[in-house]
Amino acid sequence: MVTLDQGGLPQHPAVLAQLEARHKNLQVRLADAITAFAGSMLFVYIHAVVFAVWMIFLEKDPWPKLTLVVSLEAIFLSTFVMIGQNRAAAFQQAKANHDFVEQEQELKTNTALTRDIEVLTKQIHERMFGDLTTNPATSDRP
C-alpha cells in the first residue's frame, strides 16, 4: 500500500520510516511542536506584544530581567534548531541509504536483463542466419 502525503503524492519509504519513528517518541513530538511554533509568525507576534507590555506597563527597569529572559530563550531555541538540523540530517542519511540500496538492486536487475537479452539475441540470430562463429568470407555458402 502506498501512503500519500498531504498533497496527494506518494511518500518515500525513508520518509514513512522517519515519520513513524518520530510519532513513537514523545520527546521528538514535543520538539517538533516547539520548533513548529517557534518558526511561526504567531510566535513573533506573541513575543512582540508580551515584551512591549512588560517594558511599558509592568516594570520600571525591565532591561536586566528582559535581557536574562531573552538570552535563556535564545539558548533553548538554538537547541531546538540544532535538534531539527540533526533530525533532518538523519532523515537525509536514511533516504540516501534507501536510495543506494534501491539503485544497486536496479543495477543488478538491469545487468541480468541485458545478459539475458544478449543470449536471446544470439540464439535468434543463430536460428535465422546459422552459426555465428563461421566467417562469411571463408564460407562455401553462396
Side-chain angles (χ1 to χ4, degrees), residues 51-66:
F51 290 151
V53 168
W54 185 359
M55 290 185 297
I56 296 170
F57 300 111
L58 298 179
E59 291 202 30
K60 293 180 182 180
D61 187 23
W63 304 114
K65 287 181 186 173
L66 183 61

Side-chain angles (χ1 to χ4, degrees), residues 60-74:
K60 293 180 182 180
D61 187 23
W63 304 114
K65 287 181 186 173
L66 183 61
T67 303
L68 176 66
V69 168
V70 171
S71 298
L72 288 173
E73 186 176 46

Side-chain angles (χ1 to χ4, degrees), residues 11-70:
Q11 288 187 315
H12 194 281
V15 172
L16 295 174
Q18 281 293 102
L19 289 174
E20 186 176 329
R22 283 173 36 192
H23 182 70
K24 290 180 181 178
N25 189 328
L26 176 64
Q27 290 180 347
V28 173
R29 288 196 320 259
L30 180 61
D32 283 345
I34 291 170
T35 304
F37 176 65
S40 70
M41 285 306 294
L42 179 60
F43 180 82
V44 174
Y45 298 143
I46 289 172
H47 277 72
V49 169
V50 168
F51 290 151
V53 168
W54 185 359
M55 290 185 297
I56 296 170
F57 300 111
L58 298 179
E59 291 202 30
K60 293 180 182 180
D61 187 23
W63 304 114
K65 287 181 186 173
L66 183 61
T67 303
L68 176 66
V69 168
V70 171

